[in-house]
């Protein structure tokens, strides 16, 4: 299944639907009527969020589509604050990363130099709850910019959000997540349950 800009197998997609509260029926890897009905409810909530908080650039929209609709609401509210602030500074802000399957997370974990301490199932990105943003000057991605701190910090105005800029080890100012669960282990238990 292509969800936004990522490929997910049907079981993973069903788990994500269930995790978001969209009841796709059994996690059986079959893209049947229950899964399609769940998908329709997901899409409806996602469309409501877009209508309420606005639409953004193509790249951000592709990332947004991979997030739980509840996370999409948060991401759109944050973008609505961040986009004009970046504009004033003469740059652009876009979402660059949303949901990752366990396999994608494992591949990231193996990268050197190290970019993450989280293996598959250990990141809120695996459950549609987290997104990362990038600062761009035209088409150029700015890896370092003071704006990561000031733009990321805006997310702290939103309820139930944790900003990676407040982390103690491996500070990650480009990371924002929705706290539907107290920690990744708790989210993982629900996501993986039968
Ligand atoms: Zn992240």
């Amino acid at each position: 299944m292509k969800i936004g800009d990522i490929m997910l197998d049907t079981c993973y997609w069903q788990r994500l639907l269930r995790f978001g509260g969209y009841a796709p029926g059994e996690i059986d890897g079959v893209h049947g009527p229950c899964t399609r009905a769940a998908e329709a409810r997901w899409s409806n909530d996602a469309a409501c969020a877009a209508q309420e908080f606005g639409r953004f650039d193509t790249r951000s929209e592709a990332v947004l589509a991979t997030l739980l609709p509840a996370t999409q609401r948060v991401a759109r509210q944050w973008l609505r604050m961040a986009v004009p602030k970046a504009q004033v500074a003469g740059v652009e802000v876009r979402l660059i990363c949303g949901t990752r399957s366990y396999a994608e997370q494992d591949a990231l974990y193996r990268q050197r130099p190290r970019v993450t301490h989280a293996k598959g199932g250990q990141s809120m990105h695996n459950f549609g709850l987290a997104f990362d943003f990038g600062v761009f000057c035209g088409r150029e991605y700015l890896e370092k910019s003071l704006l990561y701190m000031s733009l990321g910090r805006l997310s702290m105005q939103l309820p139930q959000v944790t900003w990676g800029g407040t982390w103690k080890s491996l500070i990650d100012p480009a990371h924002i997540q929705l706290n539907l669960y107290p920690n990744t282990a708790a989210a993982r238990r629900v996501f993986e349950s039968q």
Side-chain angles (χ1 to χ4, degrees):
M1 298 271 327
K2 186 133 185 356
I3 312 298
D5 62 351
I6 55 161
M7 287 301 297
L8 289 180
D9 67 56
T10 307
C11 279
Y12 206 100
W13 174 228
Q14 287 175 326
R15 284 191 184 280
L16 209 54
L17 285 165
R18 188 185 61 179
F19 190 75
Y22 296 95
E26 254 184 89
I27 310 294
D28 56 6
V30 179
H31 196 244
C34 278
T35 305
R36 285 200 296 274
E39 240 169 57
R41 292 192 292 275
W42 165 301
S43 300
N44 187 54
D45 282 356
C48 287
Q51 198 167 32
E52 194 170 347
F53 303 114
R55 291 190 169 278
F56 299 90
D57 65 280
T58 315
R59 172 121 189 225
S60 297
E61 287 296 334
V63 170
L64 280 157
T66 72
L67 302 172
L68 293 193
T71 316
Q72 293 188 33
R73 292 183 71 81
V74 163
R76 288 186 192 281
Q77 288 176 81
W78 174 78
L79 278 164
R80 203 156 75 157
M81 295 188 278
V83 165
K85 196 167 165 139
Q87 226 160 36
V88 169
V91 293
E92 285 138 63
V93 61
R94 293 176 206 140
L95 301 193
I96 57 171
C97 201
T99 301
R100 293 194 279 267
S101 66
Y102 286 18
E104 289 170 307
Q105 186 70 38
D106 283 332
L108 207 61
Y109 178 78
R110 288 192 294 268
Q111 265 185 35
R112 293 297 176 272
R114 193 180 276 291
V115 291
T116 177
H117 289 310
K119 292 184 199 173
Q122 297 176 341
S123 163
M124 290 300 194
H125 281 286
N126 304 144
F127 314 120
L129 293 172
F131 55 94
D132 301 325
F133 67 93
V135 175
F136 292 81
C137 190
R139 301 180 74 161
E140 191 198 349
Y141 169 62
L142 306 178
E143 207 176 324
K144 296 211 184 317
S145 162
L146 289 174
L147 284 163
Y148 282 100
M149 291 305 278
S150 55
L151 294 175
R153 189 175 287 116
L154 293 170
S155 66
M156 294 179 78
Q157 298 175 29
L158 300 167
Q160 268 199 304
V161 164
T162 290
W163 170 45
T166 60
W167 288 345
K168 299 287 176 278
S169 70
L170 209 66
I171 180 172
D172 189 358
H175 173 104
I176 297 167
Q177 68 185 40
L178 177 63
N179 296 323
L180 290 188
Y181 293 87
N183 52 49
T184 350
R188 183 179 188 166
R189 267 196 300 279
V190 174
F191 188 80
E192 291 182 1
S193 65
Q194 284 310 305

